[in-house]
Amino acid sequence: MDLTRFPRRRYTEGYTPIEKLARLSAVLGGPEIYIKRDDLLGLTEGGNKTRKLEFVVADALDRGCDTLITCGALQSNHCRLTLSAAVKEELKCRLIIEERVPGTYNPGASGNNFLFRLLGAEKIKVVPGGIDEVEEMQKMAAEAESEGRKPYIIDGSNASALSALGYVACAEEITAQLFEKGIHIDHIVCPSGSGGTHGGLLTGLLGTNTDIPVAGINVRRSKELQEEKVSDVVKRTVKFLDIKSDVPKDMIVCFDDYYGPGYSLPNDKMIEAVKLLARTEGILMDPVYTGKAMAGLIDLVRKGYFKKSDKVLFIHTGGSPALYAYLETFLPEK
Ligand SMILES: Cc1ncc(COP(=O)(O)O)c(C=O)c1O
């Protein structure tokens, strides 16, 4: 696939590492688990949104925009990284922050909320959960225009076909790395939220003719709804790239047993997974996405979903700054 036809900014030097998780694999008694360290991507504290923003911010710059506007939850990694990209590009950034659970917004909270301030968001507007975010961003953009700015709106889920190119590129990167290392991977596991990462990976693997199955671990929706969402991302991205074939329906696989009691709310398996990764590999997961996705991987291992001889690659999509807003979930040690 020729992705060079799309303007792209580069925020990471070279590839992110693929590392073998030898101690975790030993503790679980196999399979052999590897990790793609997208938590080490560029921009502030890395994570999957960095890859998506490379294409989206390039588009904003191409259009001569000077102010990025986006939205997200109280601990949004997407908002942190959009703001970080704006800093790097000498753009301004304004954020709509959605208080999804009433009464939970705390302007002094740590984690990403602290970073919104440290990185110098030009404006932060906190709105109640369930509000029409698109309308709010449009209002914010109109306000910026009235001040003589040229705003660029990035949708909160950042799951457009353009942003999905980030994980199409990542699939190409992974196949090149595995070839160099001489490793054959049997399964990929990743978190599945807006579906941009999951759908982008599936599209990229299709485009490189690589049929590694990808298991998405849902962070906020039922299996049925999430598989539809991922399928929609794949369809739009395949069309955008003008790929002639499609990802077969049975290759779109999501698991919904690990996000309860709801989006961003802690559960015991997530806590176990975050602690296990910290204490076997010294790697930080986050409570909302990768902690739950890793909990899914661990449970699938225990249920015998993988063969002991398999090699499984986990995509670490970042998010660890949110850990510092969840101290009471992990401490004091019980
Ligand atoms: C750290 C982290 N991991 C995973 C995801 C989910 O990725 P996607 O929205 O591409 O499905 C997000 C989305 O916000 C995220 O911030």
Side-chain angles (χ1 to χ4, degrees), residues 46-49 52 75-78 80-81 156-159 167 191-198 219 226 263 286 288-290 316-320:
N48 60 348
K49 306 298 175 188
K52 302 180 181 200
Q75 284 293 332
S76 168
N77 298 305
H78 163 68
R80 180 222 329 142
L81 286 166
S157 52
N158 201 357
Y167 273 85
S192 200
S194 69
T197 302
H198 189 177
V219 297
Q226 189 63 22
Y263 173 73
D286 82 288
V288 183
Y289 300 97
T290 50
H316 190 333
T317 52
S320 61

Side-chain angles (χ1 to χ4, degrees), residues 189-192 217 219 258 289-298 314:
V189 177
C190 70
S192 200
I217 310 291
V219 297
Y258 308 105
Y289 300 97
T290 50
K292 288 185 174 176
M294 183 51 84
L297 186 155
I298 292 169
F314 179 79

